[in-house]
Amino acid sequence: MNTIYLVGFMGCGKTSVGKQLSKQLEVPPYDVDSTVEKLRGKTIKEIFHNEGEEAFRNYESLAIRQLPLEHAVVMTGGGAVVREENLSYMKSKGIVIYLKTSFPVLWNRLMKENERNKRPILLTRTKEEVQALFHERSKYYEKSDIEIVTDHFTTEEVCHQILEKLNRLNTEQLDKTKK
């Protein structure tokens, strides 16, 4: 199995879906942000504060390339796809799945206290600025191999949709090889 990369805006459920999906597929989950923190010995918040977003994006690109290319589920950061090189790499090495969530649903999730405190961007930007960032990044997310709408679905339901689409994709690929 090629690696599955989960992409989408912060709050779309990449972490919870990634962990659940990895259990169902019996493969390990990898979180790119946690990998960056482990490699740098600093939190994402500290990297943004001390070195800036550009440095973080460089570390993120390196981390994506250090993770396994097979039998894994990788949860990316919300901005990982902004760099075309990251999206191209992930698409060439695995399957990229966009967890699509509408902005009102995302905003409600992000305004919960525990979410707000762990995301530095929410402490410094207005709702309008975050929404503009959401719209800017959406065009990159939409280049993914598979799109799953998550708005009103549970983690289990989203995983079920992903597995159905992967099975359909595998069946179509098998059919093409038989022709």
PDB file of all heavy atoms in Angstrom, residues 11-35:
ATOM      1  N   GLY A  11      -8.334  22.063  11.561  1.00  0.00           N
ATOM      2  CA  GLY A  11      -9.652  21.794  12.107  1.00  0.00           C
ATOM      3  C   GLY A  11     -10.515  20.874  11.269  1.00  0.00           C
ATOM      4  O   GLY A  11     -11.633  20.545  11.661  1.00  0.00           O
ATOM      5  N   CYS A  12     -10.002  20.404  10.127  1.00  0.00           N
ATOM      6  CA  CYS A  12     -10.825  19.546   9.256  1.00  0.00           C
ATOM      7  C   CYS A  12     -10.873  18.099   9.754  1.00  0.00           C
ATOM      8  O   CYS A  12     -11.700  17.327   9.287  1.00  0.00           O
ATOM      9  CB  CYS A  12     -10.344  19.603   7.810  1.00  0.00           C
ATOM     10  SG  CYS A  12      -8.790  18.740   7.526  1.00  0.00           S
ATOM     11  N   GLY A  13      -9.981  17.753  10.684  1.00  0.00           N
ATOM     12  CA  GLY A  13     -10.011  16.402  11.253  1.00  0.00           C
ATOM     13  C   GLY A  13      -8.886  15.489  10.798  1.00  0.00           C
ATOM     14  O   GLY A  13      -8.981  14.274  10.951  1.00  0.00           O
ATOM     15  N   LYS A  14      -7.819  16.055  10.253  1.00  0.00           N
ATOM     16  CA  LYS A  14      -6.719  15.218   9.750  1.00  0.00           C
ATOM     17  C   LYS A  14      -6.163  14.302  10.840  1.00  0.00           C
ATOM     18  O   LYS A  14      -5.933  13.127  10.595  1.00  0.00           O
ATOM     19  CB  LYS A  14      -5.585  16.092   9.188  1.00  0.00           C
ATOM     20  CG  LYS A  14      -5.961  16.896   7.950  1.00  0.00           C
ATOM     21  CD  LYS A  14      -4.786  17.696   7.426  1.00  0.00           C
ATOM     22  CE  LYS A  14      -4.292  18.735   8.368  1.00  0.00           C
ATOM     23  NZ  LYS A  14      -5.112  19.947   8.480  1.00  0.00           N
ATOM     24  N   THR A  15      -5.964  14.836  12.035  1.00  0.00           N
ATOM     25  CA  THR A  15      -5.364  14.036  13.108  1.00  0.00           C
ATOM     26  C   THR A  15      -6.296  12.913  13.563  1.00  0.00           C
ATOM     27  O   THR A  15      -5.887  11.748  13.616  1.00  0.00           O
ATOM     28  CB  THR A  15      -4.991  14.942  14.298  1.00  0.00           C
ATOM     29  OG1 THR A  15      -4.070  15.938  13.832  1.00  0.00           O
ATOM     30  CG2 THR A  15      -4.342  14.139  15.420  1.00  0.00           C
ATOM     31  N   SER A  16      -7.540  13.231  13.855  1.00  0.00           N
ATOM     32  CA  SER A  16      -8.453  12.186  14.345  1.00  0.00           C
ATOM     33  C   SER A  16      -8.753  11.165  13.249  1.00  0.00           C
ATOM     34  O   SER A  16      -8.754   9.956  13.498  1.00  0.00           O
ATOM     35  CB  SER A  16      -9.736  12.790  14.911  1.00  0.00           C
ATOM     36  OG  SER A  16     -10.343  13.644  13.974  1.00  0.00           O
ATOM     37  N   VAL A  17      -8.962  11.623  12.022  1.00  0.00           N
ATOM     38  CA  VAL A  17      -9.216  10.687  10.917  1.00  0.00           C
ATOM     39  C   VAL A  17      -7.966   9.861  10.635  1.00  0.00           C
ATOM     40  O   VAL A  17      -8.045   8.647  10.429  1.00  0.00           O
ATOM     41  CB  VAL A  17      -9.686  11.447   9.654  1.00  0.00           C
ATOM     42  CG1 VAL A  17      -9.701  10.524   8.432  1.00  0.00           C
ATOM     43  CG2 VAL A  17     -11.067  12.048   9.879  1.00  0.00           C
ATOM     44  N   GLY A  18      -6.809  10.502  10.653  1.00  0.00           N
ATOM     45  CA  GLY A  18      -5.552   9.792  10.379  1.00  0.00           C
ATOM     46  C   GLY A  18      -5.297   8.667  11.376  1.00  0.00           C
ATOM     47  O   GLY A  18      -4.918   7.561  10.992  1.00  0.00           O
ATOM     48  N   LYS A  19      -5.525   8.953  12.649  1.00  0.00           N
ATOM     49  CA  LYS A  19      -5.310   7.924  13.678  1.00  0.00           C
ATOM     50  C   LYS A  19      -6.297   6.767  13.505  1.00  0.00           C
ATOM     51  O   LYS A  19      -5.928   5.601  13.585  1.00  0.00           O
ATOM     52  CB  LYS A  19      -5.444   8.542  15.070  1.00  0.00           C
ATOM     53  CG  LYS A  19      -4.270   9.427  15.433  1.00  0.00           C
ATOM     54  CD  LYS A  19      -4.461  10.060  16.802  1.00  0.00           C
ATOM     55  CE  LYS A  19      -3.273  10.961  17.139  1.00  0.00           C
ATOM     56  NZ  LYS A  19      -3.475  11.686  18.399  1.00  0.00           N
ATOM     57  N   GLN A  20      -7.566   7.097  13.259  1.00  0.00           N
ATOM     58  CA  GLN A  20      -8.587   6.059  13.080  1.00  0.00           C
ATOM     59  C   GLN A  20      -8.327   5.236  11.815  1.00  0.00           C
ATOM     60  O   GLN A  20      -8.409   4.010  11.813  1.00  0.00           O
ATOM     61  CB  GLN A  20      -9.980   6.710  13.017  1.00  0.00           C
ATOM     62  CG  GLN A  20     -11.116   5.743  12.841  1.00  0.00           C
ATOM     63  CD  GLN A  20     -11.336   4.866  14.057  1.00  0.00           C
ATOM     64  OE1 GLN A  20     -11.112   5.288  15.190  1.00  0.00           O
ATOM     65  NE2 GLN A  20     -11.749   3.640  13.838  1.00  0.00           N
ATOM     66  N   LEU A  21      -7.995   5.933  10.739  1.00  0.00           N
ATOM     67  CA  LEU A  21      -7.740   5.255   9.460  1.00  0.00           C
ATOM     68  C   LEU A  21      -6.524   4.323   9.572  1.00  0.00           C
ATOM     69  O   LEU A  21      -6.537   3.209   9.057  1.00  0.00           O
ATOM     70  CB  LEU A  21      -7.521   6.299   8.357  1.00  0.00           C
ATOM     71  CG  LEU A  21      -7.405   5.784   6.931  1.00  0.00           C
ATOM     72  CD1 LEU A  21      -8.701   5.090   6.504  1.00  0.00           C
ATOM     73  CD2 LEU A  21      -7.082   6.938   5.974  1.00  0.00           C
ATOM     74  N   SER A  22      -5.498   4.780  10.263  1.00  0.00           N
ATOM     75  CA  SER A  22      -4.303   3.939  10.419  1.00  0.00           C
ATOM     76  C   SER A  22      -4.623   2.664  11.196  1.00  0.00           C
ATOM     77  O   SER A  22      -4.087   1.605  10.900  1.00  0.00           O
ATOM     78  CB  SER A  22      -3.164   4.724  11.075  1.00  0.00           C
ATOM     79  OG  SER A  22      -3.428   4.932  12.434  1.00  0.00           O
ATOM     80  N   LYS A  23      -5.513   2.782  12.202  1.00  0.00           N
ATOM     81  CA  LYS A  23      -5.927   1.594  12.958  1.00  0.00           C
ATOM     82  C   LYS A  23      -6.656   0.615  12.036  1.00  0.00           C
ATOM     83  O   LYS A  23      -6.400  -0.581  12.062  1.00  0.00           O
ATOM     84  CB  LYS A  23      -6.869   1.985  14.105  1.00  0.00           C
ATOM     85  CG  LYS A  23      -6.172   2.481  15.321  1.00  0.00           C
ATOM     86  CD  LYS A  23      -7.184   2.777  16.419  1.00  0.00           C
ATOM     87  CE  LYS A  23      -6.492   3.502  17.555  1.00  0.00           C
ATOM     88  NZ  LYS A  23      -7.443   3.990  18.547  1.00  0.00           N
ATOM     89  N   GLN A  24      -7.580   1.142  11.236  1.00  0.00           N
ATOM     90  CA  GLN A  24      -8.366   0.278  10.348  1.00  0.00           C
ATOM     91  C   GLN A  24      -7.492  -0.392   9.286  1.00  0.00           C
ATOM     92  O   GLN A  24      -7.753  -1.513   8.890  1.00  0.00           O
ATOM     93  CB  GLN A  24      -9.495   1.073   9.695  1.00  0.00           C
ATOM     94  CG  GLN A  24     -10.560   1.483  10.692  1.00  0.00           C
ATOM     95  CD  GLN A  24     -11.726   2.228  10.055  1.00  0.00           C
ATOM     96  OE1 GLN A  24     -11.738   2.497   8.864  1.00  0.00           O
ATOM     97  NE2 GLN A  24     -12.712   2.562  10.867  1.00  0.00           N
ATOM     98  N   LEU A  25      -6.475   0.329   8.825  1.00  0.00           N
ATOM     99  CA  LEU A  25      -5.591  -0.225   7.789  1.00  0.00           C
ATOM    100  C   LEU A  25      -4.410  -0.991   8.385  1.00  0.00           C
ATOM    101  O   LEU A  25      -3.628  -1.600   7.649  1.00  0.00           O
ATOM    102  CB  LEU A  25      -5.066   0.903   6.894  1.00  0.00           C
ATOM    103  CG  LEU A  25      -6.114   1.611   6.037  1.00  0.00           C
ATOM    104  CD1 LEU A  25      -5.517   2.837   5.355  1.00  0.00           C
ATOM    105  CD2 LEU A  25      -6.676   0.646   5.000  1.00  0.00           C
ATOM    106  N   GLU A  26      -4.284  -0.908   9.731  1.00  0.00           N
ATOM    107  CA  GLU A  26      -3.188  -1.578  10.451  1.00  0.00           C
ATOM    108  C   GLU A  26      -1.821  -1.117   9.943  1.00  0.00           C
ATOM    109  O   GLU A  26      -0.937  -1.920   9.665  1.00  0.00           O
ATOM    110  CB  GLU A  26      -3.348  -3.097  10.380  1.00  0.00           C
ATOM    111  CG  GLU A  26      -4.644  -3.572  11.024  1.00  0.00           C
ATOM    112  CD  GLU A  26      -4.843  -5.076  10.953  1.00  0.00           C
ATOM    113  OE1 GLU A  26      -4.040  -5.761  10.303  1.00  0.00           O
ATOM    114  OE2 GLU A  26      -5.816  -5.550  11.559  1.00  0.00           O
ATOM    115  N   VAL A  27      -1.701   0.207   9.803  1.00  0.00           N
ATOM    116  CA  VAL A  27      -0.423   0.827   9.436  1.00  0.00           C
ATOM    117  C   VAL A  27      -0.190   1.976  10.415  1.00  0.00           C
ATOM    118  O   VAL A  27      -1.128   2.512  10.998  1.00  0.00           O
ATOM    119  CB  VAL A  27      -0.419   1.355   7.979  1.00  0.00           C
ATOM    120  CG1 VAL A  27      -0.618   0.212   6.998  1.00  0.00           C
ATOM    121  CG2 VAL A  27      -1.460   2.436   7.774  1.00  0.00           C
ATOM    122  N   PRO A  28       1.062   2.379  10.607  1.00  0.00           N
ATOM    123  CA  PRO A  28       1.321   3.459  11.559  1.00  0.00           C
ATOM    124  C   PRO A  28       0.902   4.841  11.037  1.00  0.00           C
ATOM    125  O   PRO A  28       1.006   5.097   9.836  1.00  0.00           O
ATOM    126  CB  PRO A  28       2.840   3.415  11.761  1.00  0.00           C
ATOM    127  CG  PRO A  28       3.368   2.739  10.560  1.00  0.00           C
ATOM    128  CD  PRO A  28       2.289   1.812  10.060  1.00  0.00           C
ATOM    129  N   PRO A  29       0.448   5.723  11.950  1.00  0.00           N
ATOM    130  CA  PRO A  29       0.154   7.110  11.564  1.00  0.00           C
ATOM    131  C   PRO A  29       1.391   7.978  11.799  1.00  0.00           C
ATOM    132  O   PRO A  29       2.164   7.725  12.721  1.00  0.00           O
ATOM    133  CB  PRO A  29      -0.951   7.505  12.541  1.00  0.00           C
ATOM    134  CG  PRO A  29      -0.635   6.742  13.785  1.00  0.00           C
ATOM    135  CD  PRO A  29      -0.002   5.446  13.320  1.00  0.00           C
ATOM    136  N   TYR A  30       1.567   8.965  10.958  1.00  0.00           N
ATOM    137  CA  TYR A  30       2.660   9.931  11.135  1.00  0.00           C
ATOM    138  C   TYR A  30       2.088  11.332  11.026  1.00  0.00           C
ATOM    139  O   TYR A  30       1.365  11.629  10.076  1.00  0.00           O
ATOM    140  CB  TYR A  30       3.742   9.745  10.063  1.00  0.00           C
ATOM    141  CG  TYR A  30       4.463   8.430  10.170  1.00  0.00           C
ATOM    142  CD1 TYR A  30       4.006   7.323   9.461  1.00  0.00           C
ATOM    143  CD2 TYR A  30       5.566   8.282  10.990  1.00  0.00           C
ATOM    144  CE1 TYR A  30       4.645   6.098   9.556  1.00  0.00           C
ATOM    145  CE2 TYR A  30       6.213   7.061  11.108  1.00  0.00           C
ATOM    146  CZ  TYR A  30       5.744   5.973  10.384  1.00  0.00           C
ATOM    147  OH  TYR A  30       6.378   4.761  10.492  1.00  0.00           O
ATOM    148  N   ASP A  31       2.426  12.167  11.996  1.00  0.00           N
ATOM    149  CA  ASP A  31       1.974  13.551  11.995  1.00  0.00           C
ATOM    150  C   ASP A  31       3.165  14.438  11.614  1.00  0.00           C
ATOM    151  O   ASP A  31       4.198  14.416  12.304  1.00  0.00           O
ATOM    152  CB  ASP A  31       1.461  13.917  13.392  1.00  0.00           C
ATOM    153  CG  ASP A  31       0.936  15.333  13.445  1.00  0.00           C
ATOM    154  OD1 ASP A  31       1.759  16.263  13.587  1.00  0.00           O
ATOM    155  OD2 ASP A  31      -0.275  15.513  13.321  1.00  0.00           O
ATOM    156  N   VAL A  32       3.031  15.184  10.529  1.00  0.00           N
ATOM    157  CA  VAL A  32       4.155  15.992  10.035  1.00  0.00           C
ATOM    158  C   VAL A  32       4.559  17.049  11.061  1.00  0.00           C
ATOM    159  O   VAL A  32       5.751  17.245  11.311  1.00  0.00           O
ATOM    160  CB  VAL A  32       3.817  16.645   8.672  1.00  0.00           C
ATOM    161  CG1 VAL A  32       4.909  17.621   8.244  1.00  0.00           C
ATOM    162  CG2 VAL A  32       3.619  15.565   7.608  1.00  0.00           C
ATOM    163  N   ASP A  33       3.579  17.717  11.684  1.00  0.00           N
ATOM    164  CA  ASP A  33       3.914  18.738  12.688  1.00  0.00           C
ATOM    165  C   ASP A  33       4.697  18.126  13.853  1.00  0.00           C
ATOM    166  O   ASP A  33       5.684  18.699  14.307  1.00  0.00           O
ATOM    167  CB  ASP A  33       2.651  19.429  13.219  1.00  0.00           C
ATOM    168  CG  ASP A  33       2.055  20.400  12.204  1.00  0.00           C
ATOM    169  OD1 ASP A  33       2.711  20.680  11.175  1.00  0.00           O
ATOM    170  OD2 ASP A  33       0.937  20.875  12.454  1.00  0.00           O
ATOM    171  N   SER A  34       4.273  16.967  14.325  1.00  0.00           N
ATOM    172  CA  SER A  34       5.000  16.301  15.422  1.00  0.00           C
ATOM    173  C   SER A  34       6.395  15.902  14.983  1.00  0.00           C
ATOM    174  O   SER A  34       7.353  15.976  15.766  1.00  0.00           O
ATOM    175  CB  SER A  34       4.243  15.052  15.893  1.00  0.00           C
ATOM    176  OG  SER A  34       3.008  15.413  16.422  1.00  0.00           O
ATOM    177  N   THR A  35       6.518  15.485  13.712  1.00  0.00           N
ATOM    178  CA  THR A  35       7.844  15.108  13.184  1.00  0.00           C
ATOM    179  C   THR A  35       8.763  16.331  13.166  1.00  0.00           C
ATOM    180  O   THR A  35       9.931  16.235  13.550  1.00  0.00           O
ATOM    181  CB  THR A  35       7.696  14.510  11.764  1.00  0.00           C
ATOM    182  OG1 THR A  35       6.825  13.382  11.837  1.00  0.00           O
ATOM    183  CG2 THR A  35       9.040  14.085  11.202  1.00  0.00           C
TER     184      THR A  35
END
